[in-house]
């Protein structure tokens, strides 16, 4: 797609994303990370999708120091002021005795990492010299690599803002965390490849459109960071993603939100509905689209949302959908029901709020009425007879 064909609201004379992932290291003293390669592939697919990110994506997986430096140098070389550039790095972030940050590459040597890695200050200088006025840097670093087997405190931190803000303008930095020792890869069941919690929620928010918090059809960097922060908190993650901005005006839109489901124009019931998107758990990625009525969540086969989870009761909770609000009622479950990390007995579920039941996290999205930009998908109606009956699960 050329700049002439591109969505004018999305913007960017040219949109280029460089995705760097380093998880395999020649030096055995640097712990291998399984997540970066998978994360990079999923993010590249999302960013490169013309209906979502519409970026020209360049992927560098387990590259050497020279390969990574050349790729970064090329990203910022001879760019136009109206270009939008995204640099993503996943791998070990190494902090030296002077507090300087370095990004590990495949051939980084732990004992000489300042000489065999990519110095973050060098990256900042490349950005300073780049004419582009819209640059987004996304860091998903495992900082523990610098202090493995050391006595450093968990309170040690990396000065991300001081390192990358530099002297330029139009710069945004989003980091998974600033803490050196925080957990980085998510625990996964046997046979399921591990993923970074941070990057998983970035991909989820962009690919499903749930990071479009104001429902205007686009995801900007502030919405993306807010969405990822809330999602990690809801599933009990210890990371707190941070964002810093420097001298840019307006909204920096990083993606278009995919078209969302709504009620078909025909069929009688044209009231606004809600959607529950499963953010985490065995049903992750599935959607439940609701009309006004009552829907059950639990372990029994006749529950609308059936969860095969020992921490979920047979009849765990009821979701009551009205025209303008959604209420969640706990049905005396053993392990409780939470909304946004607060245990409840009965409470209203806010827009983009999250229900936590056992190991499953569901996010509420209010859908638009017919006639808007959305397209129809399969929807679930509550039964017309007794209100507490099951319905069918529909996948995207």
């Amino acid at each position: 797609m050329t700049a002439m064909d591109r969505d004018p609201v999305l913007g960017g004379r040219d949109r280029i994303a460089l995705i760097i992932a380093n998880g395999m290291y020649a030096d055995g003293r640097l712990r291998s990370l399984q997540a970066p390669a998978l994360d990079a592939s999923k993010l590249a697919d999302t960013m490169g999708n013309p209906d979502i990110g519409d970026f020209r994506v360049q992927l560098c997986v387990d590259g050497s120091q020279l390969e990574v430096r050349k790729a970064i140098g090329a990203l910022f070389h001879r760019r136009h002021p109206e270009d939008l550039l995204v640099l993503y790095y996943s791998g070990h972030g190494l902090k030296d005795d002077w507090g300087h940050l370095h990004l590990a590459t495949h051939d980084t040597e732990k004992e000489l990492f300042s000489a065999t890695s990519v110095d973050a200050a060098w990256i900042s200088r490349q950005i300073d010299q780049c004419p582009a006025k819209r640059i987004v840097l996304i860091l998903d670093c495992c900082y523990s690599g610098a202090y493995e087997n050391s006595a450093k405190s968990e309170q040690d931190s990396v000065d991300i803002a001081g390192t990358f803000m530099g002297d330029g303008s139009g710069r945004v930095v989003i980091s998974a965390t600033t803490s050196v020792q925080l957990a980085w890869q998510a625990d996964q069941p046997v046979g399921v490849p591990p993923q970074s919690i941070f990057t998983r929620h970035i991909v989820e928010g962009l690919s499903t459109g749930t990071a479009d918090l104001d429902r205007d059809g686009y995801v900007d960097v502030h919405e993306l960071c807010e969405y990822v922060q809330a999602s990690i908190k809801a599933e009990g993650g210890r990371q707190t993603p941070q964002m810093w901005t420097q001298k840019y005006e307006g909204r920096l839109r990083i993606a278009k939100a995919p078209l969302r489901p709504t009620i078909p124009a025909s069929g009688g019931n044209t009231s606004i509905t809600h959607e529950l998107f499963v953010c985490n758990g065995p049903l992750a990625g599935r959607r439940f689209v609701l009309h006004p009525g009552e829907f059950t969540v639990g372990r029994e086969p006749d529950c609308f949302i059936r969860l095969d989870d020992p921490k979920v009761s047979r009849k765990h909770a009821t979701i009551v959908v009205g025209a303008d609000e959604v209420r969640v009622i706990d049905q005396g479950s053993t392990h409780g029901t939470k909304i946004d990390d607060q245990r409840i007995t009965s409470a209203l579920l806010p827009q983009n709020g999250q229900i936590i039941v056992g190991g499953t996290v569901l996010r509420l999205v209010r859908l638009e009425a017919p006639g808007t930009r959305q397209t129809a998908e399969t929807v679930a109606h509550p039964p017309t007879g007794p209100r507490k009956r099951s319905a069918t699960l529909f996948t995207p």
Side-chain angles (χ1 to χ4, degrees), residues 94-369:
L94 310 177
K95 182 183 172 187
D96 63 25
D97 292 339
W98 293 271
H100 302 147
L101 177 64
H102 301 260
L103 305 183
T105 61
H106 176 70
D107 54 352
T108 294
E109 299 175 25
K110 187 170 183 181
E111 292 300 320
L112 296 171
F113 72 79
S114 62
T116 56
S117 59
V118 178
D119 186 355
W122 175 83
I123 298 175
S124 186
R125 289 195 297 272
Q126 303 308 301
I127 298 175
D128 285 342
Q129 297 164 13
C130 180
K133 300 302 181 186
R134 297 194 301 166
I135 297 173
V136 180
L137 178 62
I138 302 174
L139 297 174
D140 196 353
C141 293
C142 178
Y143 295 117
S144 62
Y147 295 124
E148 197 169 342
N149 299 322
S150 78
K152 288 288 183 178
S153 165
E154 292 190 8
Q155 299 305 313
D156 284 321
S157 62
V158 177
D159 183 10
I160 301 295
T163 300
F164 289 106
M165 282 295 93
D167 301 320
S169 61
R171 191 175 309 185
V172 177
V173 179
I174 303 175
S175 177
T177 179
T178 59
S179 179
V180 170
Q181 296 287 353
L182 285 181
W184 186 76
Q185 290 186 164
D187 293 330
Q188 296 288 341
V190 175
V192 178
Q195 286 184 266
S196 154
I197 297 173
F198 175 70
T199 298
R200 171 163 56 83
H201 286 299
I202 289 179
V203 172
E204 171 204 297
L206 296 178
S207 62
T208 65
T210 46
D212 176 18
L213 302 183
D214 64 4
R215 308 294 292 165
D216 70 343
Y218 300 90
V219 179
D220 65 39
V221 291
H222 286 90
E223 287 178 310
L224 182 61
C225 188
E226 182 180 342
Y227 170 84
V228 173
Q229 286 175 335
S231 298
I232 291 176
K233 180 180 179 182
E235 66 177 72
R238 293 181 291 164
Q239 295 169 261
T240 304
Q242 302 291 326
M243 184 174 77
W244 300 266
T245 63
Q246 182 175 14
K247 299 179 184 177
Y248 85 91
E249 298 179 357
R251 296 179 61 186
L252 202 164
R253 296 178 175 90
I254 200 167
K256 293 180 284 188
L259 298 178
R260 311 295 290 158
T262 188
I263 308 168
S266 61
N269 186 354
T270 58
S271 60
I272 294 176
T273 66
H274 297 76
E275 175 187 85
L276 283 174
F277 177 78
V278 185
C279 305
N280 193 47
L283 304 181
R286 297 188 181 181
R287 299 179 182 132
F288 301 84
V289 183
L290 311 173
H291 286 267
E294 295 186 11
F295 301 87
T296 55
V297 179
R299 228 173 44 241
E300 287 194 348
D302 65 344
C303 288
F304 173 62
I305 301 178
R306 182 177 180 271
L307 302 173
D308 187 12
D309 182 336
K311 292 187 177 180
V312 173
S313 299
R314 289 179 298 173
K315 295 289 187 183
H316 195 103
T318 300
I319 300 169
V320 182
V321 181
D324 299 312
E325 64 181 31
V326 175
R327 179 172 291 276
V328 180
I329 303 171
D330 183 78
Q331 297 296 328
S333 63
T334 302
H335 294 281
T337 302
K338 294 181 180 180
I339 291 182
D340 294 335
D341 215 27
Q342 297 294 318
R343 187 161 178 166
I344 59 97
T345 53
S346 176
L348 291 177
L349 182 62
Q351 169 73 350
N352 295 306
Q354 294 184 326
I355 309 171
I356 305 172
V357 178
T360 295
V361 179
L362 305 102
R363 181 186 299 277
L364 178 72
V365 178
R366 185 181 179 90
L367 302 180
E368 299 172 7

